[in-house]
Amino acid sequence: MAQGTVPSAAGAGGGGCPSASAAAAHPPPQPAFATGFYYAVELYFDPALENQVLKAWNALARRQLGSRLIDAAARPHLPLLHLPAAALPPPGTGAGGDPLLRLAPSLRALASRLDPLPLALSSLAALPASASSSPHDNVLFLAPTPSAALLGLHAQLCELLRKDASVEVPDAFRPDHWLPRCAVAVDVPRGRMAEAFCVLRELKLLPVSGYGMDIALVEVGPTVREVVSYPLGGSGSAGAD
């Protein structure tokens, strides 16, 4: 993928991954969360696929290569949309700024007419930290094969939220810009990306297949709070405590 980066052969090959003791000798600084928060629409996996992704999270955390996802109590997922809180319509316009009232009907309608979605996580890639973020905010992710069903689900979501909820989809999540990805670390220290790639290759997870099972609305800050979720092909819902 054009936006992914791959370490050089010199960085990932040769004598294999550095030893655990070598990695521990240079512990990364603790990342700081942004003071604000945003809402996300996420596609959750079936339990077997979720467990495979958790193996990657845990392997990287043990090597001090990224633990923010675990610390935030997140679930393995594909992000379908991120919305800053300020992007929601203000009170007094329709359902107001309440994210559940504004977004939930569209999510429920979409989930009810779709079956569980076949997924194949087939490659490993990375996004470097942006110039405005911490140098330790490098993202390592598993990229799914961009099937017509996956791209269609995302396009339908964007269209529903635009028409029914008056939500302006951010540029990065527009159907013609969206990069589907399942993050396995979002805080890899600069200079240790090649090591992180190596750790994941040793797990031999890929390719791994499963299903997208639920569409969830979550609030993302220092921790992740599920607001509501809807099973694909079902009419039930589950909200956060």
Side-chain angles (χ1 to χ4, degrees), residues 16 24 41-42 52 54 59 69 78 105 119 173 179 203 205 229-231:
V41 179
E42 300 179 344
Q52 291 299 304
L54 287 172
L69 292 166
L78 288 180
L119 292 172
F173 286 90
L179 175 65
L203 290 178
L205 290 178
S229 66
Y230 298 103

Side-chain angles (χ1 to χ4, degrees), residues 47-85:
L49 182 56
E50 181 171 297
N51 285 336
Q52 291 299 304
V53 177
L54 287 172
K55 287 181 182 178
W57 289 16
N58 290 326
L60 293 169
R62 284 194 297 269
R63 296 291 292 270
Q64 297 181 310
L65 289 165
S67 63
R68 189 185 300 179
L69 292 166
I70 295 173
D71 296 340
R75 282 183 63 178
H77 65 276
L78 288 180
L80 300 173
L81 183 66
H82 286 175
L83 282 174

Side-chain angles (χ1 to χ4, degrees), residues 110-193:
L110 178 61
S112 68
R113 66 190 192 212
L114 295 173
D115 293 324
L117 183 75
L119 292 172
L121 302 179
S122 53
S123 59
L124 177 62
L127 291 171
S130 66
S132 61
S133 64
S134 164
H136 302 287
D137 285 345
N138 301 286
V139 177
L140 188 60
F141 64 92
L142 308 179
T145 301
S147 66
L150 175 60
L151 298 178
L153 179 154
H154 179 258
Q156 289 181 68
L157 171 69
C158 293
E159 183 67 9
L160 268 177
L161 293 181
R162 185 183 67 83
K163 284 187 174 181
D164 298 345
S166 302
V167 168
E168 187 67 29
V169 176
D171 283 347
F173 286 90
R174 285 171 42 191
D176 55 345
H177 290 170
W178 181 54
L179 175 65
R181 58 190 184 270
C182 170
V184 290
V186 296
D187 51 341
V188 181
R190 181 171 57 190
R192 299 187 68 192
M193 287 298 290

